[in-house]
PDB file of all heavy atoms in Angstrom:
ATOM      1  N   VAL A   8     -28.944  -5.074 -33.636  1.00 88.00           N
ATOM      2  CA  VAL A   8     -27.542  -5.507 -33.563  1.00 88.00           C
ATOM      3  C   VAL A   8     -26.820  -4.907 -34.764  1.00 88.00           C
ATOM      4  O   VAL A   8     -27.341  -4.931 -35.878  1.00 88.00           O
ATOM      5  CB  VAL A   8     -27.442  -7.044 -33.603  1.00 88.00           C
ATOM      6  CG1 VAL A   8     -25.999  -7.472 -33.770  1.00 88.00           C
ATOM      7  CG2 VAL A   8     -28.008  -7.652 -32.337  1.00 88.00           C
ATOM      8  N   THR A   9     -25.683  -4.343 -34.514  1.00 92.00           N
ATOM      9  CA  THR A   9     -24.850  -3.863 -35.609  1.00 92.00           C
ATOM     10  C   THR A   9     -23.764  -4.899 -35.869  1.00 92.00           C
ATOM     11  O   THR A   9     -23.001  -5.241 -34.970  1.00 92.00           O
ATOM     12  CB  THR A   9     -24.191  -2.514 -35.250  1.00 92.00           C
ATOM     13  OG1 THR A   9     -25.217  -1.594 -34.941  1.00 92.00           O
ATOM     14  CG2 THR A   9     -23.373  -1.990 -36.413  1.00 92.00           C
ATOM     15  N   GLU A  10     -23.758  -5.422 -37.085  1.00 92.00           N
ATOM     16  CA  GLU A  10     -22.790  -6.463 -37.439  1.00 92.00           C
ATOM     17  C   GLU A  10     -21.873  -5.983 -38.566  1.00 92.00           C
ATOM     18  O   GLU A  10     -22.321  -5.264 -39.461  1.00 92.00           O
ATOM     19  CB  GLU A  10     -23.513  -7.734 -37.878  1.00 92.00           C
ATOM     20  CG  GLU A  10     -24.287  -8.390 -36.755  1.00 92.00           C
ATOM     21  CD  GLU A  10     -25.050  -9.623 -37.216  1.00 92.00           C
ATOM     22  OE1 GLU A  10     -25.373  -9.716 -38.412  1.00 92.00           O
ATOM     23  OE2 GLU A  10     -25.330 -10.490 -36.384  1.00 92.00           O
ATOM     24  N   VAL A  11     -20.653  -6.399 -38.490  1.00 92.00           N
ATOM     25  CA  VAL A  11     -19.676  -6.096 -39.534  1.00 92.00           C
ATOM     26  C   VAL A  11     -19.048  -7.410 -39.995  1.00 92.00           C
ATOM     27  O   VAL A  11     -18.504  -8.159 -39.188  1.00 92.00           O
ATOM     28  CB  VAL A  11     -18.581  -5.140 -39.011  1.00 92.00           C
ATOM     29  CG1 VAL A  11     -17.434  -5.053 -39.990  1.00 92.00           C
ATOM     30  CG2 VAL A  11     -19.152  -3.760 -38.773  1.00 92.00           C
ATOM     31  N   ILE A  12     -19.189  -7.679 -41.272  1.00 91.00           N
ATOM     32  CA  ILE A  12     -18.571  -8.883 -41.837  1.00 91.00           C
ATOM     33  C   ILE A  12     -17.413  -8.410 -42.706  1.00 91.00           C
ATOM     34  O   ILE A  12     -17.595  -7.514 -43.542  1.00 91.00           O
ATOM     35  CB  ILE A  12     -19.595  -9.679 -42.670  1.00 91.00           C
ATOM     36  CG1 ILE A  12     -20.778 -10.068 -41.783  1.00 91.00           C
ATOM     37  CG2 ILE A  12     -18.961 -10.930 -43.255  1.00 91.00           C
ATOM     38  CD1 ILE A  12     -22.096  -9.914 -42.444  1.00 91.00           C
ATOM     39  N   PHE A  13     -16.240  -8.973 -42.499  1.00 91.00           N
ATOM     40  CA  PHE A  13     -15.091  -8.440 -43.224  1.00 91.00           C
ATOM     41  C   PHE A  13     -14.149  -9.524 -43.706  1.00 91.00           C
ATOM     42  O   PHE A  13     -14.173 -10.664 -43.242  1.00 91.00           O
ATOM     43  CB  PHE A  13     -14.337  -7.429 -42.352  1.00 91.00           C
ATOM     44  CG  PHE A  13     -13.391  -8.046 -41.356  1.00 91.00           C
ATOM     45  CD1 PHE A  13     -12.008  -7.940 -41.507  1.00 91.00           C
ATOM     46  CD2 PHE A  13     -13.881  -8.760 -40.270  1.00 91.00           C
ATOM     47  CE1 PHE A  13     -11.134  -8.506 -40.585  1.00 91.00           C
ATOM     48  CE2 PHE A  13     -13.015  -9.334 -39.340  1.00 91.00           C
ATOM     49  CZ  PHE A  13     -11.640  -9.204 -39.501  1.00 91.00           C
ATOM     50  N   ASP A  14     -13.322  -9.126 -44.656  1.00 89.00           N
ATOM     51  CA  ASP A  14     -12.269 -10.013 -45.155  1.00 89.00           C
ATOM     52  C   ASP A  14     -11.130  -9.136 -45.653  1.00 89.00           C
ATOM     53  O   ASP A  14     -11.361  -8.008 -46.104  1.00 89.00           O
ATOM     54  CB  ASP A  14     -12.795 -10.899 -46.285  1.00 89.00           C
ATOM     55  CG  ASP A  14     -11.763 -11.960 -46.694  1.00 89.00           C
ATOM     56  OD1 ASP A  14     -11.107 -12.512 -45.797  1.00 89.00           O
ATOM     57  OD2 ASP A  14     -11.607 -12.215 -47.896  1.00 89.00           O
ATOM     58  N   ILE A  15      -9.921  -9.649 -45.549  1.00 90.00           N
ATOM     59  CA  ILE A  15      -8.759  -8.882 -46.023  1.00 90.00           C
ATOM     60  C   ILE A  15      -8.029  -9.670 -47.105  1.00 90.00           C
ATOM     61  O   ILE A  15      -8.147 -10.894 -47.188  1.00 90.00           O
ATOM     62  CB  ILE A  15      -7.770  -8.563 -44.877  1.00 90.00           C
ATOM     63  CG1 ILE A  15      -7.091  -9.847 -44.395  1.00 90.00           C
ATOM     64  CG2 ILE A  15      -8.459  -7.861 -43.738  1.00 90.00           C
ATOM     65  CD1 ILE A  15      -5.876  -9.611 -43.527  1.00 90.00           C
ATOM     66  N   GLU A  16      -7.293  -8.955 -47.923  1.00 89.00           N
ATOM     67  CA  GLU A  16      -6.343  -9.586 -48.852  1.00 89.00           C
ATOM     68  C   GLU A  16      -4.983  -8.970 -48.572  1.00 89.00           C
ATOM     69  O   GLU A  16      -4.890  -7.808 -48.157  1.00 89.00           O
ATOM     70  CB  GLU A  16      -6.743  -9.364 -50.308  1.00 89.00           C
ATOM     71  CG  GLU A  16      -8.157  -9.762 -50.649  1.00 89.00           C
ATOM     72  CD  GLU A  16      -8.482 -11.206 -50.335  1.00 89.00           C
ATOM     73  OE1 GLU A  16      -7.566 -12.056 -50.380  1.00 89.00           O
ATOM     74  OE2 GLU A  16      -9.649 -11.508 -50.014  1.00 89.00           O
ATOM     75  N   THR A  17      -3.952  -9.754 -48.788  1.00 88.00           N
ATOM     76  CA  THR A  17      -2.600  -9.290 -48.456  1.00 88.00           C
ATOM     77  C   THR A  17      -1.764  -9.039 -49.714  1.00 88.00           C
ATOM     78  O   THR A  17      -2.105  -9.504 -50.799  1.00 88.00           O
ATOM     79  CB  THR A  17      -1.880 -10.307 -47.556  1.00 88.00           C
ATOM     80  OG1 THR A  17      -1.776 -11.546 -48.250  1.00 88.00           O
ATOM     81  CG2 THR A  17      -2.619 -10.510 -46.256  1.00 88.00           C
TER      82      THR A  17
END
Side-chain angles (χ1 to χ4, degrees):
Chain A
V8 170
T9 302
E10 294 178 335
V11 168
I12 301 138
F13 81 110
D14 188 40
I15 69 166
E16 307 303 330
T17 61

